[in-house]
Amino acid sequence: MILILDFGGKCSRIVGRIVRESKVYCEILPHNVSIDRIKEKNPQGIIFTGEVKEEVNEEIFDLGIKAIGLGSKNKALNEKYGVKVYENETYTDDTKKIINDFLFEECNLKPYWDMKEFVDRSIKEIKEQVGDGKAICGLSGGVDSSVAAVLVHEAIGDNLTCVFVDHGLLRKNEAEEVETFFREKFNMNLIKVDARERFLNKLKGITDPEQKRKIIGEEFIRVFEEEQSKLEGIGYLVQGTIYPDVIESGGDENQVVKSHHNVGGLPEDVNFELVEPLRQLFKDEVREVGTILGIPEEAVHRQPFPGPGLGVRVLGEITEEKLDIVREADYIFRDEIKKAGLDKEIWQYFAILPGIRSVGVSAGKRTYNYTVALRAIYSIDGMTAQWAKIPLEVLEKISDRIVNEVEHVNRVVYDITNKPPATIEWE
Ligand SMILES: Nc1ncnc2c1ncn2[C@@H]1O[C@H](COP(=O)(O)OP(=O)(O)OP(=O)(O)O)[C@@H](O)[C@H]1O
């Protein structure tokens, strides 16, 4: 294995992905990890990433492990410790070549990290961990929980029960798709909870985005707990935690291990033992595992979708009418992007209802209706993003369809802001 010693920044994850893509296993640890932990890992090579500001524990170099540094601010490594340093810190062919040369020529490794083997090994490990026990899994329809659920289902079959909460903040047809898919294709025990009204009631009159998120998160936990209490003998909770959720970053001051309990996260007071079969994997690897397990491409390459769903795409107060508008507009947008063959190159694209109304004209009559905003971005990891240069004819078609097909909309605008300074989502 390769050890990536992280001095902060994003570089460690980029390097990590490249090493794994080259079919070599690697782990990312903070730069000041103890020498014993390094020895335990027994790496064949070490890659230093980020900005080396402090002294490096010199004992590392006594271990006789091959090392290089990546990152433009890493000269100190070379000057003080004689480690060869490259300025590369982004995902380019050149960076890949440097890493590949290091892995296969300097460290003499062979490609071995293989997702098919991972699947077989995981199924065996899950069987060992859970035995005849029963597990529950919150299934959002997102990539991580879907792949985790299918993997665990392969291992323990009907002893897994999945709970899917329809909070009414999902995209068009999503609830039906999740239901049909997991029940029919995978024959999984799936409980679908229709909590649409419950969420809408709780959100009535709430306009502050943080408060909306909080309410959605808390209500989700409540619904999930109610469902789990109806089941008997559950001892395990399956979570779609993936490697980027658990990396201890060298840049963070107190080096907290980030937990997976964000919005839409599950109850923390777990009496259950966790089953987290994707903990070691990067997102691309999770997708590959999904494909091996027979999950269709559209689901495996599904674009990121926030936990609170359309709740953060209807700005201001959420009402059923507004949710319907944004859901229909979003559906048309996605449909046209797909028809134009742009769905692979654009990282994320969706509609927003900013809650503004403006004057328009329809069949000779004045209207006063909603504006729909469209957002589409290119990105590699969501940390930075550029607005997508969708051809004007495609934008025109989308706009025409939205104003014609979606009631109460008379204007469509396109967001042409990069991240930073804007974020990808609007709230
Ligand atoms: N509507 C839902 N129904 C059931 N479980 C859900 C739902 N939304 C979220 N969850 C659970 O909470 C976890 C965290 O939710 P979050 O929205 O942060 O997902 P994520 O980290 O993007 O993962 P995923 O790709 O599985 O959606 C999910 O992995 C899933 O187990």
Side-chain angles (χ1 to χ4, degrees):
M1 68 97 73
I2 291 288
L3 196 58
I4 297 166
L5 288 181
D6 179 13
F7 283 84
K10 285 187 294 177
C11 183
S12 61
R13 287 158 204 231
I14 294 168
V15 172
R17 276 178 55 211
I18 297 176
V19 174
R20 295 276 187 98
E21 276 169 21
S22 311
K23 302 208 175 302
V24 170
Y25 183 70
C26 65
E27 284 182 28
I28 300 170
L29 290 178
H31 63 90
N32 51 3
V33 63
S34 74
I35 202 79
D36 286 340
R37 188 124 177 247
I38 297 180
K39 281 188 197 158
E40 232 171 72
K41 298 279 172 198
N42 192 21
Q44 277 83 43
I46 293 177
I47 304 179
F48 294 92
T49 60
E51 183 180 352
V52 178
K53 281 189 250 167
E54 301 153 43
E55 298 287 303
V56 178
N57 182 348
E58 294 204 13
E59 286 175 86
I60 293 177
F61 303 106
D62 297 337
L63 299 174
I65 301 168
K66 299 247 167 28
I68 52 169
L70 283 163
S72 55
K73 294 183 183 138
N74 261 340
K75 288 196 194 74
L77 266 179
N78 183 267
E79 286 154 13
K80 279 198 194 154
Y81 310 107
V83 173
K84 188 151 193 199
V85 174
Y86 300 86
E87 298 217 334
N88 304 50
E89 52 191 7
T90 54
Y91 191 103
T92 61
D93 287 344
D94 195 35
T95 314
K96 279 196 222 173
K97 173 145 188 4
I98 291 165
I99 293 176
N100 276 313
D101 287 351
F102 177 66
L103 301 177
F104 303 124
E105 280 164 36
E106 265 193 74
C107 302
N108 248 322
L109 287 159
K110 297 260 174 312
Y112 66 92
W113 177 243
D114 177 73
M115 287 304 111
K116 280 214 179 69
E117 269 170 44
F118 173 87
V119 168
D120 294 341
R121 191 173 53 211
S122 286
I123 292 175
K124 221 172 109 219
E125 283 169 4
I126 298 164
K127 277 186 180 149
E128 274 162 23
Q129 186 190 355
V130 181
D132 291 329
K134 290 194 167 148
I136 189 171
C137 176
L139 195 62
S140 67
V143 181
D144 304 340
S145 57
S146 301
V147 174
V150 173
L151 191 55
V152 173
H153 181 252
E154 290 286 310
I156 65 166
D158 280 350
N159 279 342
L160 171 70
T161 302
C162 292
V163 175
F164 168 60
V165 179
D166 181 357
H167 44 37
L169 306 168
L170 301 165
R171 286 167 291 191
K172 187 165 166 163
N173 299 339
E174 202 163 21
E176 295 74 18
E177 278 165 17
V178 168
E179 205 179 358
T180 340
F181 179 72
F182 289 99
R183 276 221 188 98
E184 286 171 18
K185 178 153 168 69
F186 285 101
N187 249 318
M188 283 159 70
N189 277 333
L190 175 73
I191 298 172
K192 181 186 151 193
V193 189
D194 183 354
R196 288 177 293 178
E197 243 186 82
R198 210 172 144 161
F199 276 82
L200 262 185
N201 282 336
K202 284 271 167 191
L203 289 164
K204 209 171 257 164
I206 309 292
T207 53
D208 177 65
E210 280 316 304
Q211 220 184 331
K212 285 201 286 188
R213 278 179 185 269
K214 205 163 155 246
I215 290 173
I216 296 167
E218 282 173 6
E219 199 56 18
F220 172 76
I221 290 180
R222 220 156 285 151
V223 173
F224 192 83
E225 278 173 344
E226 281 173 24
E227 288 308 314
Q228 94 194 11
S229 68
K230 293 182 201 159
L231 300 167
E232 268 169 32
I234 302 281
Y236 299 85
L237 175 70
V238 178
Q239 289 213 299
T241 316
I242 68 173
Y243 196 46
D245 301 325
V246 292
I247 296 173
E248 299 168 61
S249 166
D252 296 347
E253 270 178 6
N254 41 16
Q255 313 208 341
V256 254
V257 181
K258 268 214 258 158
S259 81
H260 197 58
H261 303 297
N262 44 9
V263 184
L266 295 167
E268 302 221 13
D269 65 328
V270 238
N271 294 324
F272 302 135
E273 191 175 317
L274 292 181
V275 183
E276 300 181 302
L278 311 176
R279 263 185 95 84
Q280 285 179 307
L281 304 188
F282 282 96
K283 195 85 181 184
D284 300 325
E285 294 172 320
V286 173
R287 296 203 163 101
E288 203 181 326
V289 167
T291 307
I292 292 171
L293 293 169
I295 301 177
E297 284 300 295
E298 315 91 81
V300 168
H301 287 279
R302 202 175 95 132
Q303 49 171 322
F305 187 61
L310 300 182
V312 293
R313 293 186 183 165
V314 168
L315 308 201
E317 189 188 359
I318 298 170
T319 63
E320 205 164 351
E321 182 189 54
K322 289 183 188 169
L323 285 171
D324 284 341
I325 294 174
V326 82
R327 198 178 278 127
E328 288 303 318
D330 186 72
Y331 181 73
I332 293 170
F333 189 21
R334 284 192 286 141
D335 186 43
E336 289 300 328
I337 290 292
K338 192 153 189 215
K339 281 187 190 150
L342 298 168
D343 53 326
K344 293 259 152 54
E345 82 188 55
I346 304 180
W347 205 66
Q348 202 178 353
Y349 45 99
F350 55 88
I352 304 121
L353 195 71
I356 331 164
R357 293 214 244 177
S358 70
V359 177
V361 60
S362 174
K365 284 209 186 95
R366 178 189 185 275
T367 59
Y368 190 61
N369 269 335
Y370 286 110
T371 298
V372 161
L374 303 175
R375 178 90 165 126
I377 49 113
Y378 306 125
S379 180
I380 291 177
D381 50 16
M383 305 283 276
T384 60
Q386 291 76 47
W387 63 277
K389 314 297 179 290
I390 298 175
L392 296 178
E393 328 59 275
V394 179
L395 282 175
E396 185 172 27
K397 179 100 190 280
I398 296 164
S399 159
D400 283 347
R401 274 192 66 188
I402 291 176
V403 288
N404 283 318
E405 294 173 34
V406 186
E407 263 188 90
H408 312 297
V409 176
N410 66 356
R411 195 178 293 275
V412 177
V413 296
Y414 187 48
D415 182 349
I416 51 166
T417 337
N418 292 337
K419 172 183 178 179
T423 47
I424 297 175
E425 298 286 344
W426 276 34
E427 70 167 31

